[in-house]
Amino acid sequence: MSRIADRLMRYLKRRGLRDARKLIPSEPTREPRPEPPAPTPPGTLRLHLFGANFDSEAQALAFCTGTEDAPSELTRQLTGAYVDPSEVEVIHSPITPRLSEFLTEPEIDDVELRLAGDTTLILLTEHAFGGLPYTLDDTRDLTYLGEITVRV
């Protein structure tokens, strides 16, 4: 299978089947209780990655930052987490140059594959949660791509 066809199949699996557990009667539909994450080794930092489609960097930033009177849309959609917006980074196209600053080429390829064509990558550091327990998942506007641990 060609690399493009393989990427397309992974994209379809990730996008099309992410809610499949809701269709299986034996699977619980109750949200998991937030738990504190395991500590990271010294000299490392856990990053959580989200893919999204925004027309511009300004739209993405507006989504991720709130006002004094209201929390950001990011915080509202991540119902299982408190989010400190100062620990959020928005990377709008092109994404690869920023990732190359702290990831290896295979890691960059993996992130780009998981982005599946999304135009924006949103990074939340472990510090964004203020030491509180959290759960992360896809939302109306975001696809949770998982976590990575990087050296600092």
Side-chain angles (χ1 to χ4, degrees):
M1 189 178 326
S2 74
R3 183 175 177 179
I4 293 172
D6 186 44
R7 289 178 78 144
L8 178 62
M9 290 303 296
R10 288 185 189 180
Y11 169 78
L12 291 173
K13 286 179 185 175
R14 182 171 63 83
R15 290 290 185 160
L17 298 178
R18 68 182 178 197
D19 292 328
R21 68 180 175 87
K22 295 177 183 174
L23 302 173
I24 303 170
S26 64
E27 291 294 314
T29 56
R30 183 180 302 162
E31 293 295 320
R33 183 181 177 121
E35 294 189 22
T40 56
T44 63
L45 179 66
R46 184 179 293 120
L47 301 176
H48 294 276
L49 304 118
F50 289 89
N53 278 306
F54 292 102
D55 293 332
S56 68
E57 184 175 20
Q59 280 184 331
L61 287 169
F63 179 86
C64 293
T65 56
T67 64
E68 284 185 24
D69 301 330
S72 69
E73 185 63 24
L74 171 69
T75 299
R76 284 186 277 211
Q77 286 192 25
L78 293 177
T79 57
Y82 157 83
V83 179
D84 175 357
S86 69
E87 294 292 334
V88 176
E89 181 178 354
V90 173
I91 306 165
H92 190 69
S93 296
I95 296 169
T96 304
R98 175 65 176 116
L99 292 179
S100 66
E101 294 176 22
F102 57 91
L103 295 178
T104 65
E105 193 166 322
E107 291 170 326
I108 293 169
D109 288 342
D110 182 54
V111 170
E112 289 178 338
L113 178 64
R114 288 185 278 154
L115 276 170
D118 287 346
T119 61
T120 307
L121 178 67
I122 299 172
L123 298 175
L124 283 77
T125 71
E126 188 69 31
H127 305 296
F129 309 110
L132 299 171
Y134 58 87
T135 57
L136 301 172
D137 204 349
D138 295 346
T139 72
R140 182 180 71 244
D141 295 307
L142 303 172
T143 301
Y144 182 51
L145 306 175
E147 66 179 56
I148 58 171
T149 302
V150 296
R151 293 193 182 279
V152 289

